[in-house]
Amino acid sequence: MGWFHFKGKDSRDFGILISAAPEKVRAERRVDYVTIPGRNGELTVDEGTYAPYVISVECSTRGSENLDEILAWLNGAGELILCTEPDKVFRASIYNKISVSDMIYLYNSFLLQFRVQPFKYSVNAAGDALELTAPTTIRNSGTVYSEPIITVFGSGDVTLTINGADFPLYGVEESITIDSEMMEVFKGDTNQNGKYGGAEFPRFEVGKNEISWTGNVSKIKIQPRWRWL
């Protein structure tokens, strides 16, 4: 019998176990196929993005004393960890209704359908954090590029360079943070998008990534957000 964590709680604490291991699914890449009159075949338009998908989890439980608590918990969105991949975390939401009639007997089973975002992330996000005081090369061991959080500590005009691409920062005061996933630049609660001169946001490709900088920088902290399909 397996288990899962959802929104910080363990299914075993509610007497719920996974009765059948969920199927392992890879996110589908978003691709459009366009037929052009007078042209053989079709044109493939690849957005370079991935679609969310559904993970179905067959569960069983004994008794229904805490039924209301279970139904309140298995609702909404949060982080999901499955026993089949305990080192990965999904961003998930409950996709289906849960049949109460299946949960009122001594032994019962029910189906959960989690709608998950396309990528899996490292459970050990804190342990993956990096602190750099000199240019270096880091390795993305995931299966897809990551969109990190990068905090630069320093002052004045700074240029961060990743794999040959420059990401300028202007008038840094003590520190500034780039969140590539959110496409935002800030310090604390203050928006500082106006101090960012990059055409794109930094990302770490699969494999080796070279990082350097110019300007008055004391250190750089990185939350790399390694992720997998």
Side-chain angles (χ1 to χ4, degrees):
M1 290 286 190
W3 50 267
F4 65 91
H5 288 261
F6 182 56
K7 298 199 296 188
K9 296 182 179 180
D10 192 314
S11 63
R12 292 167 291 190
D13 293 339
F14 295 89
I16 298 171
L17 295 170
I18 296 177
S19 53
E23 180 183 6
K24 192 169 183 178
V25 180
R26 196 188 81 167
E28 180 180 5
R29 196 170 177 114
R30 289 193 177 106
V31 178
D32 290 329
Y33 299 97
V34 181
T35 301
I36 300 177
R39 175 175 172 173
N40 294 316
E42 56 192 6
L43 180 66
T44 301
V45 180
D46 187 349
E47 298 180 17
T49 59
Y50 295 85
Y53 59 96
V54 173
I55 294 178
S56 297
V57 180
E58 294 182 23
C59 298
S60 63
T61 185
R62 179 179 179 178
S64 58
E65 296 82 3
N66 55 352
L67 178 57
D68 289 339
E69 188 178 2
I70 290 172
L71 292 176
W73 168 50
L74 296 176
N75 183 48
E79 292 189 341
L80 170 69
I81 303 172
L82 298 171
C83 62
T84 50
E85 293 185 274
D87 60 336
K88 304 292 192 304
V89 59
F90 298 83
R91 296 174 181 176
S93 58
I94 291 291
Y95 180 66
N96 66 309
K97 68 177 182 179
I98 301 171
S99 176
V100 175
S101 62
D102 289 341
M103 300 177 65
I104 61 175
Y105 301 106
L106 184 59
Y107 293 96
N108 40 68
S109 62
F110 57 97
L111 181 69
L112 294 178
Q113 289 182 298
F114 292 99
R115 184 172 181 83
V116 300
Q117 297 306 311
F119 305 118
K120 297 172 283 190
Y121 295 82
S122 171
V123 166
N124 187 29
D128 293 335
L130 304 166
E131 184 171 311
L132 309 181
T133 55
T136 189
T137 299
I138 66 173
R139 183 173 183 82
N140 177 359
S141 57
T143 60
V144 68
Y145 69 87
S146 77
E147 298 174 315
I149 297 177
I150 301 174
T151 301
V152 176
F153 294 84
S155 60
D157 293 348
V158 172
T159 297
L160 179 66
T161 302
I162 299 175
N163 296 327
D166 290 339
F167 303 95
L169 296 161
Y170 305 113
V172 176
E173 299 176 357
E174 296 182 350
S175 70
I176 193 168
T177 298
I178 305 169
D179 188 330
S180 293
E181 182 179 9
M182 300 303 295
M183 297 184 179
E184 295 286 348
V185 180
F186 55 88
K187 179 183 178 183
D189 295 329
T190 304
N191 183 297
Q192 299 206 333
N193 288 334
K195 293 187 175 184
Y196 183 64
E200 304 289 341
F201 280 80
R203 61 190 242 177
F204 296 136
E205 304 296 341
V206 175
K208 294 181 180 180
N209 293 266
E210 296 181 356
I211 304 173
S212 61
W213 55 84
T214 59
N216 183 21
V217 174
S218 59
K219 64 182 177 181
I220 293 178
K221 289 187 175 182
I222 300 173
Q223 181 52 258
R225 288 177 170 151
W226 304 136
R227 55 191 188 178
W228 292 257
L229 284 172

